[in-house]
Amino acid sequence: MSPSASTDTPAAPADRPRALRLAKLLLSEYFVLVLCVVYVAAIYPFVPEILTWQVASNILGDMMPLLVVAIGQTFVLIIAGIDLSITAIISMAAVVGASVMTGTNGYLSGSAVAVPAAILAMLAVGVAVGAINGLSVVRLNMPSFIVTLATRMFFAGLAIWYVTFHSTSSSIADLPASFTAFATGSVLGVPYTVALAFAIGVAAHVLLSRTQFGRWVYAVGANPAAARISGVPVGRTIMLTFLISGACASVAAMMYASRMQTGSPIAGENILLDVIGAVVIGGTSLFGGKGKIVWTVFGVLFLLLIDTSMKLLGSSLFMIYIIKGGVILLAATVDTFRHHLLVNR
Amino acid sequence: MKTGNRLVLLLLQNAPYVLFVVLLILFGLVSDRFLAVANFRNIVIQAAPIAILAIGMTFVLLTGQIDLSVGASMYLTASILAIYLTGIPWPLGLIAVMAMAAAIGAVNGGVVTRLGVASFIVTLATLFILRGIAMWLSNTRTLMFPDPITDLNRAHVLGVPSAIVAFAAVFAVAWLVLHQTPFGRQVYAVGGDPEAARKAGLPVRRIVFLCFVIAGLCAGIGGFVSITQIGAVGPKYGDQIEFSAIAAAVLGGVSLFGGRGSVVGTVFGAILIKTVQNGLNIINADPYIYPLVTAAIIFIAVAIDGLRTRIIEKLERRTIRPLTGE
Amino acid sequence: MATLLEVEGLTKSFFGVTVLHGVGFSVEKGKALGLVGENGSGKSTSMNILGGIHQPSAGSMRLDGVPYAPASPKEATAAGIAFIHQELNLFPNLTIEENLFIDSFPHRGVLPFINRARIRRQTEELLSQVDLPHRPSTPVSKLSQGERQLVEIAKALSRNARLIIFDEPTTSLTRPEVERLFAIIARLKARGIGIIYISHALEDVMAVCDDITVLRDGHVAGSAARGEIDVQRIIALMVGRSIDAIYPERSVKPKDDVVLSVSGLSQPGVAKDIGFEIRAGEVVGLAGLMGSGRSELARMLFGLDRFARGEIRIDGKPLVDPTPATAMAAGVAFLTEDRRGEGLIMDFTIAENMVLASLPTVAGALGLIDRGRISAVAADMGRAMHLSTTKVDDTLVKHLSGGNQQKVVIGKWLRRRPRLFILDEPTRGIDVGAKQEVYRIVNGLVEAGSAVLLISSEIEELIGLSDRILTISRGELTGSFARGDFDREAIMTAATGLAGATEMRA
């Protein structure tokens, strides 16, 4: 028999308000955002540039592909899965899209529909790999970690191979201007990429928090057996999260390809751990049932703030690695602590 | 009907082995060089580092945890060996590498068991930190190892190549520990049901902690064997090798959810992966398709495992009434 | 005969709330004491004190005449006290012998290796004592639930247990397994081992125990030898009042229109040729033992398990290849026997659980879910269910008592206004007050014209609530009893598949 929460011994009167305020802050949805603000305030004296428009827009530009992938990953993590194949999807989609629209020996070189067709092809790659992942998990009963590890290995390799049929170099260049304009152009002062990522973020947020499908995602992640008995189509829900993750990775591929003006099989190669790190820093659980899109936004922002400020400080790559690792560890420890607080509340 | 079922089950239960035999036959048909004894020795030598790594990973996986930092640990310990410990005799070098790697494992295990943070995250973070430190120490240069260390690659013990000796020793010790000691059986107990293990009075934290130390230790040994083979390490050294180690273990039947599998399977998984690459090499396949084939093999083996679990569940489902006559 | 355990004046309070008031009982060597009482009566607290998990605020215990005050579970084990819990503490991925010695493997001399020969020999010896004809190297995953329990008993014996405490040992056993368990308990008694037997199944208690102690609200409500007390008297002591008042009267009679009609439902190894009807406003009880196929039948009706042949009709419309979604669309609701594992999402709030099966009804414009509406409907339902808390948006269901959790499950389904409500063990593990609430809700449901299929292990409950009782055994219906001629003995006989009913029809 455990003591009930209501009979908890009260803390010493003087400590109580402060402890309470600290607990409230720790438990707040916006904890990571608060961390971001605190971090900027702390780092500002050393790198005042961090608050300049130039740097801010750089952070935004770096953030968008990462954010879009992280949004997709959030869905998969909430159903207690994981998608390691995202970087391979980005590579594969980038080279397939480029092979369609490149001006040099592209499938549709010079055609008016080249760019739309390429975009569709890129989306198709993401959805197809997502479908393989989802079907393997749902129908073949395979753990998502291994499925996506295998598809990651497969499509990362395939992307490199694919380029050899379309280019003499290691990537496919000569992309149409109308495509690369996506990275540079803006609408009403808002870069296209930011607008698109914002739209995806809002859509994902609404989908997760305000629709039946969203409730299903959480229910499946928290307890698939109970979800099934409540009439939730468990298999279809899992399937859809992998499709969403795949499609998001495709969108990130478009962003990378247009920015680099080339379809590279190593586009986004190194972002996997950043993505998972960012989502987890935001507070989404690896064990399913818990997570939010805004949390992911904050997590990505926080990781990039650290990244950028360290670069501005002239830190080398290794310093950034060390600090990033430390921050992920710290965030996870704080999250564990938060969890204890919530349980004992 | 019943014998048919049993045959299917037997095939499914030994899927990786069946797959292995099929591959042997296929490669053997294409090239007569493949089935030569010398080639098998090569495969085992090539598989040694990853297999040793995967053996350590097996301990961690058996407790239901994961260690993503082993590749980074290899890189850092090798860097320290190349930069600071150049002059020392190789046995001391090996011991130093093992000690450092075990200490890294102890940090992982300590954070996981004391702070209660998910091992995926802890080791993801240490991966970053260790790689960062190694790049800092090495200035992201490629580091060369002196001859005494690279000579080990050509050394033999009683006619057996040194890599195979190390491989066999680690395997034998790991097998004995897992199957013949109380600790080993308790590892299975903790992975099978941590709550029940706690109730049975087992020191769950200490067991999980020790498994991380063992994974670290194996990363040290595996790393040492691999530097004797390649002689130099750069910033990409050990990158993503943790995934190969996990794949080898899972291929050999180790469950990611803990409590199921053995080092025998793991070693087999590592050899299977290397056999594929070796076979492709011998039949002069396009190098681009190596990762494709490897990925496909892993996928198929795990898919079969999932199928097997489902069939076993179906066959072993308790019936309420006799099945005869219906 | 000598007294093995003597408990006197046991008192325990948590944070100022006293949950045990001077409880006392004793166990003789070679005898079994039945300890019965509602949830919250103090059984588990007493046992936790006995097991060294809690320490008493006052009172004393003597084991074999020696003062006994365990400070930890380890000390309790060392003193020769063993627990066999409802949820077994075994590792299915290990063998029987490894399970028996998991925390005390003998070494091979000075070597750190397990002395396999020795544990094999000892395990063989122990297994023969509990009549388990398996090899020590058999993995526990291959054993049935009843066999696993015998392994637990063997484990207790390997630790030289003097007193073995069984906590609800029969809930997940089939009848033959129960019989075998009772035979083993008799053998343990003959060896002089003392038994404390805790169960809600009073028939089992009467079959096993020599003495019975009834707890209520932390007090001993009564104590007697088996011969001096009967089940009715025990129940009266447990609830503190006469049993008739528990089942509320119902104002309506079953109507003529058939809600559920099942015919020829068969699945190899699970069900054979099951056919019955339930009319609107009717409660049909399904009596059967654990493993009789009663829960499997419910799961087939709700589309959770497949069936090979047969037809299910709801309100006359056939339900072809049902899935939970199509069954729900046809008006079926299902309360599972596994409340924690399948009935609820423990980490969700009350409100989130309440609306999970009826999400479209809380959607507003554009099909978007309206949080305000979720709160409102959940709060309404909570009031209707007499939930203990009104904070439906903030309270996670894992923080509720069993009875309140069950009300959330029922509320979740009532929101769909089911035509047919299948209730599988709706009152398992909840106290008598919550039970009455459940009965009241069931009555409200049938009065509104729904049909109810009620599955329960408690025959009294079936008799108290049903208009008709069907019995099931080995996947076949073996009898049907109308309310007028409910007869405990006859129902039990039919439910156990005795009287050769199954053989004669086969």
Side-chain angles (χ1 to χ4, degrees):
Chain A
M1 189 170 294
S2 65
S4 71
S6 56
T7 53
D8 242 335
T9 45
D15 292 349
R16 195 159 172 81
R18 200 192 301 160
L20 208 69
R21 235 179 296 147
L22 184 69
K24 235 180 188 164
L25 173 68
L26 275 175
L27 296 178
S28 154
E29 293 242 27
Y30 300 100
F31 175 69
V32 180
L33 185 63
V34 173
L35 268 189
C36 290
V37 174
V38 171
Y39 182 78
V40 171
I43 205 87
Y44 179 76
F46 308 99
V47 272
E49 312 94 285
I50 197 154
L51 285 182
T52 60
W53 177 241
Q54 182 60 40
V55 171
S57 69
N58 268 348
I59 291 181
L60 272 182
D62 282 346
M63 189 173 159
M64 292 312 123
L66 200 60
L67 177 61
V68 172
V69 189
I71 287 170
Q73 188 74 245
T74 307
F75 280 85
V76 180
L77 288 181
I78 295 176
I79 57 121
I82 194 164
D83 188 351
L84 304 175
S85 70
I86 42 175
T87 54
I89 295 174
I90 292 174
S91 306
M92 193 67 209
V95 298
V96 168
S99 73
V100 170
M101 64 188 157
T102 174
T104 335
N105 296 325
Y107 289 114
L108 295 171
S109 288
S111 160
V113 295
V115 172
I119 287 173
L120 280 181
M122 292 166 100
L123 277 176
V125 167
V127 170
V129 180
I132 296 172
N133 291 338
L135 279 175
S136 309
V137 171
V138 174
R139 296 268 166 217
L140 299 179
N141 219 6
M142 295 166 73
S144 58
F145 187 92
I146 290 294
V147 170
T148 57
L149 184 59
T151 50
R152 161 190 167 82
M153 213 184 262
F154 189 89
F155 287 99
L158 187 61
I160 295 172
W161 196 24
Y162 186 86
V163 172
T164 62
F165 297 106
H166 296 88
S167 167
T168 48
S169 74
S170 62
S171 62
I172 305 173
D174 194 15
L175 302 187
S178 56
F179 180 73
T180 53
F182 174 60
T184 50
S186 60
V187 53
L188 302 173
V190 181
Y192 287 136
T193 52
V194 175
L196 180 61
F198 183 77
I200 289 174
V202 170
H205 173 75
V206 171
L207 195 58
L208 258 189
S209 66
R210 298 292 302 277
T211 67
Q212 170 162 293
F213 170 71
R215 301 314 308 161
W216 285 352
V217 170
Y218 288 104
V220 168
N223 185 341
R228 179 158 177 251
I229 284 190
S230 302
V232 176
V234 174
R236 203 177 349 137
T237 305
I238 294 174
M239 183 74 201
L240 272 170
T241 62
F242 280 100
L243 292 183
I244 290 171
S245 179
C248 285
S250 287
V251 172
M254 292 170 205
M255 293 176 172
Y256 279 120
S258 65
R259 201 165 61 161
M260 301 192 297
Q261 309 196 345
T262 166
S264 160
I266 55 166
E269 192 189 30
N270 293 321
I271 67 166
L272 173 66
L273 299 181
D274 280 2
V275 167
I276 293 173
V279 178
V280 172
I281 287 173
T284 296
S285 164
L286 281 171
F287 304 108
K290 196 184 125 203
K292 282 188 180 172
I293 296 300
V294 280
W295 294 356
T296 294
V297 174
F298 300 153
V300 173
L301 178 66
F302 189 53
L303 211 62
L304 279 172
L305 273 176
I306 289 169
D307 215 284
T308 310
S309 59
M310 287 297 131
K311 278 181 194 150
L312 288 174
L313 277 169
S315 304
S316 44
L317 184 61
F318 49 77
M319 236 14 240
I320 297 176
Y321 263 61
I322 295 172
I323 288 173
K324 224 188 254 177
V327 165
I328 292 175
L329 193 56
L330 197 70
T333 310
V334 170
D335 189 58
T336 309
F337 182 59
R338 278 169 48 152
H339 188 73
H340 283 303
L341 270 182
L342 275 176
V343 168
N344 300 328
R345 189 165 53 158
Chain B
M1 170 68 197
K2 266 216 151 153
T3 44
N5 264 349
R6 218 171 287 162
L7 188 69
V8 170
L9 203 64
L10 198 70
L11 282 178
L12 287 177
Q13 228 143 13
N14 297 294
Y17 303 95
V18 175
L19 219 57
F20 185 65
V21 172
V22 170
L23 284 174
L24 289 187
I25 294 172
L26 283 180
F27 287 132
L29 285 177
V30 180
S31 161
D32 48 358
R33 272 202 301 141
F34 178 78
L35 286 174
V37 175
N39 190 44
F40 276 115
R41 207 178 56 181
N42 272 341
I43 291 175
V44 177
I45 291 174
Q46 287 164 9
I50 187 85
I52 292 171
L53 213 57
I55 287 170
M57 187 67 80
T58 303
F59 281 82
V60 174
L61 293 177
L62 279 175
T63 63
Q65 310 286 342
I66 201 163
D67 188 348
L68 301 177
S69 72
V70 288
S73 171
M74 279 167 65
Y75 178 35
L76 176 59
T77 53
S79 302
I80 292 174
L81 181 65
I83 299 168
Y84 299 107
L85 305 171
T86 39
I88 66 170
W90 72 263
L92 284 180
L94 173 61
I95 289 169
V97 164
M98 283 167 67
M100 288 186 288
I104 290 167
V107 171
N108 285 331
V111 176
V112 169
T113 53
R114 287 290 144 198
L115 300 183
V117 185
S119 56
F120 188 95
I121 297 299
V122 172
T123 56
L124 176 64
T126 45
L127 182 166
F128 276 114
I129 296 171
L130 299 173
R131 274 205 172 274
I133 296 173
M135 288 197 268
W136 176 42
L137 296 179
S138 66
N139 245 324
T140 63
R141 281 177 298 124
T142 298
L143 306 164
M144 308 297 287
F145 288 91
D147 290 345
I149 285 180
T150 48
D151 284 347
L152 285 173
N153 189 33
R154 287 180 295 278
H156 289 72
V157 178
L158 302 175
V160 182
S162 58
I164 296 184
V165 172
F167 181 177
V170 171
F171 169 64
V173 171
W175 186 85
L176 278 176
V177 168
L178 271 186
H179 295 275
Q180 297 300 333
T181 69
F183 169 75
R185 304 324 290 165
Q186 289 170 351
V187 167
Y188 281 88
V190 168
D193 189 339
E195 195 48 44
R198 202 164 293 126
K199 282 190 195 152
L202 302 186
V204 175
R205 282 179 174 187
R206 194 166 70 209
I207 291 166
V208 173
F209 173 81
L210 282 174
C211 286
F212 276 98
V213 174
I214 292 170
L217 207 57
C218 288
I221 302 171
F224 193 84
V225 172
S226 88
I227 56 180
T228 66
Q229 294 180 349
I230 56 180
V233 300
K236 279 270 162 196
Y237 175 70
D239 191 23
Q240 314 231 352
I241 200 168
E242 54 275 1
F243 288 131
S244 304
I246 294 168
V250 172
L251 203 52
V254 178
S255 163
L256 287 173
F257 307 107
R260 195 173 69 103
S262 86
V263 283
V264 180
T266 299
V267 163
F268 185 79
I271 290 179
L272 180 57
I273 290 176
K274 284 295 169 189
T275 304
V276 173
Q277 289 170 0
N278 174 284
L280 291 171
N281 185 13
I282 283 189
I283 65 170
N284 285 323
D286 192 334
Y288 287 114
I289 73 163
Y290 285 22
L292 274 59
V293 175
T294 311
I297 299 268
I298 292 172
F299 185 90
I300 292 168
V302 179
I304 290 174
D305 190 55
L307 191 69
R308 181 189 66 127
T309 319
R310 213 172 260 197
I311 288 178
I312 289 177
E313 265 169 22
K314 210 165 161 187
L315 286 179
E316 290 184 349
R317 186 178 299 159
R318 279 170 82 188
T319 52
I320 288 161
R321 43 180 300 109
L323 278 161
T324 46
E326 293 193 37
Chain C
M1 181 148 312
T3 302
L4 176 65
L5 175 76
E6 182 91 58
V7 176
E8 274 177 358
L10 215 54
T11 299
K12 175 73 186 172
S13 25
F14 291 104
F15 301 92
V17 182
T18 305
V19 295
L20 278 187
H21 305 266
V23 166
F25 52 83
S26 66
V27 184
E28 306 289 312
K29 273 185 189 154
K31 292 273 175 80
L33 169 71
L35 202 56
V36 297
E38 294 288 306
N39 293 320
S41 61
K43 282 178 306 182
S44 29
T45 311
S46 326
M47 289 308 109
N48 283 342
I49 290 173
L50 204 50
I53 296 170
H54 295 317
Q55 278 64 48
S57 315
S60 68
M61 298 185 285
R62 297 176 81 79
L63 195 59
D64 252 344
V66 182
Y68 167 69
S72 70
K74 240 182 192 149
E75 285 187 30
T77 309
I81 295 198
F83 285 83
I84 312 285
H85 287 287
Q86 190 181 342
E87 285 164 18
L88 300 176
N89 252 340
L90 294 176
F91 305 99
N93 57 337
L94 298 179
T95 63
I96 296 175
E97 58 186 16
E98 287 169 346
N99 266 287
L100 292 187
F101 292 92
I102 189 68
D103 59 346
S104 57
F105 282 111
H107 288 262
R108 217 185 280 174
V110 291
L111 294 175
F113 302 126
I114 297 169
N115 192 334
R116 293 261 176 197
R118 192 156 128 210
I119 66 172
R120 187 142 305 169
R121 215 170 43 241
Q122 291 182 357
T123 304
E124 271 166 3
E125 162 68 24
L126 288 164
L127 290 184
S128 75
Q129 289 177 22
V130 295
D131 260 355
L132 191 58
H134 280 291
R135 289 159 52 148
S137 55
T138 312
V140 168
S141 59
K142 292 236 189 301
L143 304 183
S144 74
Q145 201 61 22
E147 290 171 328
R148 292 182 194 196
Q149 201 168 46
L150 296 179
V151 173
E152 282 268 25
I153 296 173
K155 194 170 170 182
L157 292 178
S158 78
R159 266 128 236 235
N160 301 316
R162 290 186 280 176
L163 175 67
I164 302 183
I165 297 154
F166 289 88
D167 188 359
E168 292 288 355
T170 57
T171 28
S172 45
L173 299 191
T174 62
R175 205 64 214 172
E177 286 176 331
V178 171
E179 298 302 335
R180 179 157 65 161
L181 173 69
F182 288 177
I184 298 291
I185 290 181
R187 199 185 292 179
L188 296 175
K189 290 201 288 189
R191 288 175 51 171
I193 293 173
I195 307 283
I196 295 181
Y197 190 98
I198 300 170
S199 180
H200 286 297
L202 298 178
E203 287 86 5
D204 291 349
V205 173
M206 292 301 273
V208 170
C209 301
D210 306 284
D211 303 289
I212 289 152
T213 293
V214 182
L215 295 183
R216 186 175 72 238
D217 300 330
H219 298 268
V220 174
S223 250
R226 169 173 40 192
E228 301 158 4
I229 197 166
D230 61 9
V231 171
Q232 295 302 315
R233 177 78 189 127
I234 294 176
I235 294 175
L237 285 172
M238 277 165 63
V239 300
R241 68 196 123 149
S242 147
I243 161 173
D244 303 336
I246 295 181
Y247 302 102
E249 280 298 311
R250 196 147 64 231
S251 60
V252 295
K253 289 265 165 283
K255 301 185 181 59
D256 285 337
D257 38 335
V258 172
V259 173
L260 170 73
S261 120
V262 179
S263 59
L265 197 68
S266 301
Q267 166 72 14
V270 178
K272 188 181 171 203
D273 206 16
I274 289 178
F276 63 98
E277 290 183 344
I278 306 180
R279 288 173 291 159
E282 186 180 31
V283 177
V284 169
L286 187 61
L289 303 168
M290 178 81 200
S292 62
R294 52 180 200 197
S295 296
E296 287 76 2
L297 173 59
R299 296 179 74 87
M300 283 191 276
L301 294 178
F302 193 64
L304 284 162
D305 289 351
R306 299 181 157 279
F307 52 89
R309 270 169 289 116
E311 193 184 46
I312 300 170
R313 284 173 179 270
I314 306 289
D315 284 327
K317 284 189 283 294
L319 192 57
V320 185
D321 280 340
T323 63
T326 57
M328 281 162 65
V332 187
F334 177 45
L335 179 141
T336 84
E337 59 177 336
D338 182 2
R339 182 171 61 233
R340 304 182 132 261
E342 296 184 330
L344 290 167
I345 296 180
M346 302 309 273
D347 285 322
F348 274 23
T349 63
I350 296 173
E352 286 170 329
N353 271 292
M354 284 267 199
V355 299
L356 187 60
S358 52
L359 286 167
T361 62
V362 289
L366 298 169
L368 294 185
I369 283 168
D370 183 340
R371 291 228 186 91
R373 207 179 293 182
I374 290 183
S375 305
V377 298
D380 284 349
M381 191 50 89
R383 270 192 296 279
M385 296 282 113
H386 297 179
L387 270 190
S388 62
T389 174
T390 53
K391 294 181 183 166
V392 292
D393 286 317
D394 304 323
T395 313
L396 301 183
V397 293
K398 69 176 169 199
H399 295 142
L400 294 177
S401 69
N404 280 296
Q405 286 177 351
Q406 199 68 307
K407 289 181 197 169
V408 175
V409 183
I410 295 175
K412 171 173 97 173
W413 290 113
L414 288 191
R415 290 214 63 248
R416 295 188 59 87
R417 301 179 192 287
R419 285 293 288 155
L420 169 68
F421 202 161
I422 304 168
L423 299 155
D424 193 356
E425 297 281 5
T427 61
R428 178 187 281 175
I430 68 179
D431 60 34
V432 92
K435 271 186 186 173
Q436 278 184 307
E437 288 286 343
V438 170
Y439 301 151
R440 188 182 59 78
I441 294 162
V442 168
N443 276 354
L445 201 62
V446 289
E447 277 161 11
S450 296
V452 168
L453 178 62
L454 174 70
I455 301 172
S456 176
S457 299
E458 288 183 44
I459 207 116
E460 305 297 341
E461 186 169 285
L462 291 173
I463 290 174
L465 283 179
S466 308
D467 295 297
R468 200 147 52 88
I469 293 178
L470 304 173
T471 55
I472 185 167
S473 170
R474 294 213 280 162
E476 288 180 68
L477 292 186
T478 53
S480 172
F481 300 83
R483 185 163 187 89
D485 40 65
F486 282 169
D487 169 1
R488 277 186 109 261
E489 293 301 313
I491 293 171
M492 282 297 280
T493 310
T496 42
L498 294 176
T502 43
E503 279 73 12
M504 274 158 62
R505 275 209 274 160

